[in-house]
Amino acid sequence: MPLYEGLGSGGEKTAVVIDLGQAYTKCGFAGETGPRCIIPSEIKKPDVSKPVKVVQYNINTEELYSYLKEFIHMLYFRHLLVNPRDRRVVIIESVLCPSHFRDTLTRVLFKHFEVPSVLFAPSHLMSLLTLGINSAMVLDCGYAESLVLPIYEGIPILSCWGSLPLGGKAIHKELEYQLLEQCTVDTGLAKGQSLPSVMVRTCFVSDLQRGLKIQAAKFNIDGSAERPSPPPDVDYPLDGEKILHVVGPIRDSVVEILFEQDNEETSVATLILDSLVQCPIDTRKQLAENLVVIGGTAMLPGFLHRLMAEIRHLVEKPKYKEALATKTFRIHTPPAKSNCVAWLGGAIFGALQDILGSRSVSKEYYSQTGRIPDWCCLNNPPLEMMFDVGKAPPPLMKRAFSTEK
């Protein structure tokens, strides 16, 4: 139960904040400095040997409904230990979240758990609340993809977003391929569980010059490029008996796929610059000087330093030199670890009870209409949609999800 609950304004119980990621789910209470639990976004089925991923977009609705119902039940009654009927819910979502997933999640929360209200908040915008700024270029390096979205004066510029399937999943795939090719221990039994921890505990991001040499050696067409001296080998214990021998070259080469430019000359660094070029010209300088990087993949040692070096290297190329007048790029340091920044922003937003009440979709409204509005509708939502039936209407807001005072 949250600290000091019931003290303060009216004694309304604090909201539950859930950041449902493809790999891990962060869950806790509004107004707190960190999530109560960070658990894999998966459930165990008795008839299936491997855990089942909860966040799936390509399965039928009823199957997804049963997965989400079981997973959220585990969140409430094993980790949070609270009654879902007593508390509002804030869901941190990605801009790429499909409508059918949002609708199914809302149906689970309202129909099965009977929560009083639900608010879907965009992760990129919530991350700005932790810094107290209105405008920034936000890069989310997650498990499935890297997604960049510029936000100006509290409004997401949806026409300028960019995404690449480069994240933790891509690194795991490359790591698995290289381990099975070069490692000295059969990792068949513990392969699925050990890959994330092997990546976190042994891999790192090289600096720009070293990274360019590694890439040149990898795509060594003429045979003249030499790989720089590798880092030391590491012995990684898999369980009580097996020890995995991770050779040095694997440790720094697997992460290079984030920065290797493909046939279309795109990488994680070009995502930011391409999005910046698409933005209105009078917003570019402010956005370039306010970069925010969130997501679990961004926690790899050396990632931020390499990202800045890549941007400064690319901005001198003709493609960007003519389009971007600014050469100054700065990265903010949020007051939380990269994987929890969006959750912390949602916890701050959820603690503003007056605003949360006027922005959330109430159970009464949902039971009448059976749908939820899309958060990216920038016009004022109809009043009857945003407040509980029978209560006085809230004051008019300037814009949906605006961070203006």
Side-chain angles (χ1 to χ4, degrees), residues 135-157:
S135 305
M137 178 71 71
V138 186
L139 172 66
D140 183 359
C141 287
Y143 178 72
E145 75 261 319
S146 293
L147 173 65
V148 68
L149 179 67
I151 294 170
Y152 193 75
E153 293 299 326
I155 302 296
I157 309 177

Side-chain angles (χ1 to χ4, degrees), residues 103-142:
D103 293 340
T104 307
L105 179 57
T106 310
R107 190 153 60 92
V108 169
L109 290 169
F110 278 133
K111 299 292 186 184
H112 187 79
F113 292 100
E114 299 183 358
V115 300
S117 71
V118 173
L119 169 72
F120 281 91
S123 58
H124 291 71
L125 184 53
M126 289 298 105
S127 61
L128 294 198
L129 294 184
T130 64
L131 294 160
I133 56 178
N134 284 352
S135 305
M137 178 71 71
V138 186
L139 172 66
D140 183 359
C141 287

Side-chain angles (χ1 to χ4, degrees), residues 7 46 68 147 153 155 166 199 212 261 269 344 359 361 367:
L7 301 178
L68 287 171
L147 173 65
E153 293 299 326
I155 302 296
L166 296 175
M199 182 188 84
L212 292 176
Q261 294 198 11
L344 180 59
R359 302 288 171 150
V361 177
S367 62

Side-chain angles (χ1 to χ4, degrees), residues 18-93:
I18 302 173
D19 184 357
L20 204 59
Q22 291 228 359
Y24 288 90
T25 292
K26 282 72 69 179
C27 189
F29 297 104
E32 297 192 346
T33 56
R36 289 294 181 95
C37 63
I38 301 178
I39 59 173
S41 301
E42 58 194 26
I43 54 174
K44 292 181 179 177
K45 290 285 187 181
D47 53 338
V48 182
S49 58
K50 292 175 66 178
V52 179
K53 290 279 186 186
V54 172
V55 182
Q56 297 187 51
Y57 300 148
N58 55 353
I59 61 175
N60 66 63
T61 306
E62 291 310 312
E63 199 175 353
L64 179 62
Y65 183 89
S66 67
Y67 291 165
L68 287 171
K69 184 172 71 174
E70 187 174 335
F71 183 70
I72 292 173
H73 184 276
M74 181 176 68
L75 285 180
Y76 271 112
F77 299 109
R78 187 182 298 176
H79 297 284
L80 296 180
L81 305 176
V82 294
N83 184 353
R85 297 184 184 185
D86 295 343
R87 298 166 187 274
R88 300 179 184 274
V89 179
V90 178
I91 302 290
I92 311 297
E93 67 161 357

